[in-house]
Amino acid sequence: MASQDGTDTGRTGMPLFPAGFLWGTSTSAYQIEGATSEDGRGQSVWDSFCRMSGRVNNGHTGDVACDHYHLWPGDVRLMRSLGVGAYRFSLAWPRLLPRGRGRANEAGLDFYDRLIDGLLEAGIEPWATLYHWDLPQALDDLGGWTNRDCAGWFADYAVLAARRFGDRVKHWATFNEFSVFTLFGYAFGWAPPSISDRTAHLQAIHHVNLAHGDAVAVLRRSVPGASIGAIHSFQTCRPSSEEPADVEAAALFDEHWNLCFPDAQILGRYPPRIAAAIDPFVRAGDLARVCQPVDWFGMNHYAPIYGHADPQMLWGFGFGAVPDSLPRTGVGWPIDHSAFETSLALAWNRYRLPIYVTENGFGTQSRPEPDERAEIDDPARVAYLEGSVAAMRRSLDQGIGVKGYFVWSLLDNFEWGAGYGDRFGIVFVDYRTQERIPKASARWYAALIGAQPPPAPGAE
Ligand code: FCB
């Protein structure tokens, strides 16, 4: 059967993907684990940030979140019932090394041992991300990513994780969304460590790139058969008007948001507008250290971004107006699936690596009681995910090497500055009881996965 756009839809009406295409769900440690003061976990910069007045919506914190630290067996069962082949989660650096370096925390290591074993028993591939924004506070006290030594501290943490889990975890990502935590943390001041300083921002970019390169080398050495990548926020960046100042601002925004990490890591150079500014922080041999061969390109895609000139902002660019013609998600992000196709094509043509879409999803704003559970029927999320999957299918038809897709997110969770106000889960979480209730989108996702052809005999 063929759909109107020519996509093969099989008997179920669902788009069909090549055998072996990977379907998964994504989460991150601080957003779901809770137990932030339990079993020896150290504090992270997000624990501190949540305690600063006015930073996170309603003063919410990740202290309890989805209590995944205790409830993970049920969460693994949920994933199994969806039929996912892989689960992308992050390791909390301060749970493994409470002070960021030095003595490891056995109880923290044990937690991930249990989770990984549980996933493998359920037939779900663990995909571990080393860093999803929760820098140990003790390291931030030493300058965090502005301190060049932070790359070495990160590499030591990677050694610990690789030696402990590398016998069972074969899929590794170094960082999640380099550009977002560095821009928001060191340039815009919207996330920890809430700095807005050009030198600090450029140092952070370069030191994070060094940390990535060092961690790839560690993983390659320590994990036999490792498949290693990094996860980039990759959103088509457009100027919000044709004014030359906006066009130039959007070009600089694009370099900062989309290009300066993967270009350095995969092409071995910084994009032109950033190159001159960052040069004073780059020492001889650094780019060779940053640019280690990786196996795949992790792309988080949500929405196009619009840049405009804004002299109030540190680098003279900021988020500009979105065209009125574009529909919006429940959290106001523009919906434009053609931007997803553009980003996939750009990443494929520029970096020539197999692409895994490591996040894609739809946010809604929590409804006030008593209507909160009306969220469980989420046709707008289903429509958005269908649109993304169709865009990915069209990209495959164009010869673009997309190999897998992870929905953000398995669970409603702590959505950073928005606290628990924004919900991205395909499974609803009642934060008073920790009850999990699959939404219509979870049923849709299970049906999509169930409709796919089985892996070829003898395939992994
Ligand atoms: C991405 C983050 C993820 C989540 C989604 C909605 O930028 O990687 O943690 O917050 O956005």
Side-chain angles (χ1 to χ4, degrees), residues 14 118 192 224 387 445:
M14 289 288 187
Y445 196 44

Side-chain angles (χ1 to χ4, degrees), residues 43-50 94 131 133-137 140 192-193:
Q43 296 295 287
S44 78
V45 289
W46 269 93
D47 295 293
S48 316
F49 188 72
C50 289
Y131 188 89
W133 306 355
D134 44 359
L135 182 71
Q137 182 58 50
D140 191 58

Side-chain angles (χ1 to χ4, degrees), residues 415-456:
E415 180 46 33
W416 309 114
Y420 297 98
D422 290 1
R423 291 179 177 269
F424 277 81
I426 57 173
V427 174
F428 176 86
V429 175
D430 183 331
Y431 294 112
R432 291 160 311 173
T433 60
Q434 293 295 348
E435 189 183 354
R436 274 74 159 141
I437 307 173
K439 303 180 189 178
S441 51
R443 287 192 292 280
W444 168 83
Y445 196 44
L448 171 73
I449 296 169
Q452 301 306 310

Side-chain angles (χ1 to χ4, degrees), residues 1-60:
M1 195 194 295
S3 68
Q4 281 179 348
D5 62 5
T7 309
D8 185 2
T9 58
R11 278 183 301 113
T12 58
M14 289 288 187
L16 295 182
F17 284 71
F21 191 90
L22 190 63
W23 300 96
T25 50
S26 276
T27 63
S28 87
Y30 191 70
Q31 293 179 275
I32 65 165
E33 285 180 3
T36 50
S37 303
E38 230 173 291
D39 290 344
R41 175 186 176 280
Q43 296 295 287
S44 78
V45 289
W46 269 93
D47 295 293
S48 316
F49 188 72
C50 289
R51 281 170 175 76
M52 291 163 70
S53 148
R55 292 316 180 101
V56 174
N57 196 16
N58 294 318
H60 289 163

Side-chain angles (χ1 to χ4, degrees), residues 263-316:
D263 274 14
Q265 294 166 16
I266 303 166
L267 308 179
R269 56 174 157 75
Y270 280 104
R273 290 172 181 76
I274 292 180
I278 210 157
D279 200 45
F281 306 101
V282 180
R283 298 186 190 161
D286 274 6
L287 280 163
R289 198 173 137 194
V290 170
C291 181
Q292 301 289 325
V294 289
D295 303 304
W296 45 270
F297 182 92
M299 181 190 297
N300 290 356
H301 185 85
Y302 289 92
I305 52 175
Y306 288 82
H308 76 159
D310 183 347
Q312 305 296 317
M313 299 295 282
L314 186 71
W315 292 106

